[in-house]
Amino acid sequence: MKRDDFFVGWAGRLPRAHRGVVALAVACLLGGSALLPLALARGTADPGSGAFEWGAGEQTLTGTLTILPYPTVWTPPDAAHPRGHTVLLSGEGKERPDVAAGDDGKLVAAKGFLIRRGETETLQAGSVQRVDGLPGAPPVTPLGTWRIAGEICDGKCAIGAMRPGRGAAHRPCANLCLIGGLPPVLLSTGAIDGHDTLLLADRGGAALSERLHDDVAVPIVLEGAVELRGDLLILRTTLP
């Protein structure tokens, strides 16, 4: 046996033949420790902007207002949104936006602050006023019948107004938002046509009943017809 290969615990050095293996093991351990947090972060769903986009300031969206199942504004197509962009509307607090029933299908200017989670946006609207011009019609594409697992949340906090905006800790807050008329959304466990946020409606396309409140912030499976309105998914369903 060569002298360099003889190991003595108190000698303070490794045998030469072992040094490469130990160095490789240490490098893998350090590299894995650095990559693990990155992998966990990338695998976590976007929690939303966490606050209103104050940096962008108050914004005005001009587009077609649709009241059912819940108020939305559809802006015409552009380079970033070839199908146009459908934005949920909320009031300034835990309340429905102030929209006139007679403005349904009309061209409006909605002024407020945007909240964003992934590609889904909610505008906290301070005002929604009809403006001159011809309204467009958001393209509606049926995507068939789906059975979807996920969690029902409100379409303001879950989109990024609060963190956490979902889960049992947020259930009382979510129900207060829904009681105030804010749109309910289903955060699905998997993507559908590239989206994981679906606006909820009843089978006829109207707002869901107050029974909804019992099913908020718990794992749930809903079945119904899915359609793409502009770039927003809508699930027409019946509560279990």
Side-chain angles (χ1 to χ4, degrees):
M1 180 180 295
K2 294 182 180 180
R3 181 169 182 164
D4 286 344
D5 292 334
F6 187 76
F7 175 68
V8 179
W10 44 260
R13 63 186 179 87
L14 290 171
R16 182 176 299 174
H18 296 175
R19 292 173 189 171
V21 175
V22 173
L24 179 61
V26 171
C28 290
L29 180 62
L30 293 176
S33 299
L35 292 175
L36 180 60
L38 179 61
L40 292 174
R42 290 178 64 87
T44 301
D46 179 10
S49 56
F52 307 109
E53 305 221 358
W54 299 116
E58 192 174 44
Q59 300 184 51
T60 299
L61 301 181
T62 301
T64 303
L65 175 68
T66 301
I67 291 182
L68 292 178
Y70 299 88
T72 63
V73 167
W74 175 78
T75 60
D78 57 23
H81 305 97
R83 293 179 56 87
H85 188 37
T86 305
V87 179
L88 301 170
L89 295 180
S90 80
E92 293 187 338
K94 295 179 177 295
E95 58 190 19
R96 182 182 176 92
D98 185 14
V99 295
D103 289 343
D104 186 32
K106 307 299 183 182
L107 190 67
V108 299
K111 182 181 293 186
F113 295 90
L114 282 170
I115 315 162
R116 178 178 293 109
R117 177 180 181 270
E119 297 299 319
T120 305
E121 291 185 318
T122 295
L123 182 76
Q124 179 183 277
S127 66
V128 181
Q129 302 292 332
R130 191 188 301 190
V131 295
D132 293 333
L134 295 176
V140 177
T141 304
L143 299 180
T145 299
W146 289 72
R147 194 166 186 264
I148 307 171
E151 176 187 337
I152 297 175
C153 304
D154 68 276
K156 183 175 183 178
C157 295
I159 303 304
M162 294 189 69
R163 291 184 176 179
R166 59 188 300 179
H170 187 69
R171 184 175 188 179
C173 180
N175 271 326
L176 284 175
C177 288
L178 296 176
I179 290 170
L182 293 184
V185 296
L186 179 69
L187 302 183
S188 68
T189 56
I192 300 171
D193 198 43
H195 305 265
D196 65 358
T197 304
L198 298 93
L199 178 63
L200 294 177
D202 68 13
R203 295 280 185 178
L208 286 171
S209 72
E210 293 185 358
R211 286 185 49 235
L212 170 72
H213 307 146
D214 296 331
D215 297 313
V216 170
V218 296
I220 194 170
V221 176
L222 297 176
E223 184 173 349
V226 175
E227 65 184 31
L228 190 61
R229 180 188 296 173
D231 59 352
L232 179 69
L233 286 177
I234 300 177
L235 172 62
R236 297 189 179 200
T237 188
T238 300
L239 295 174

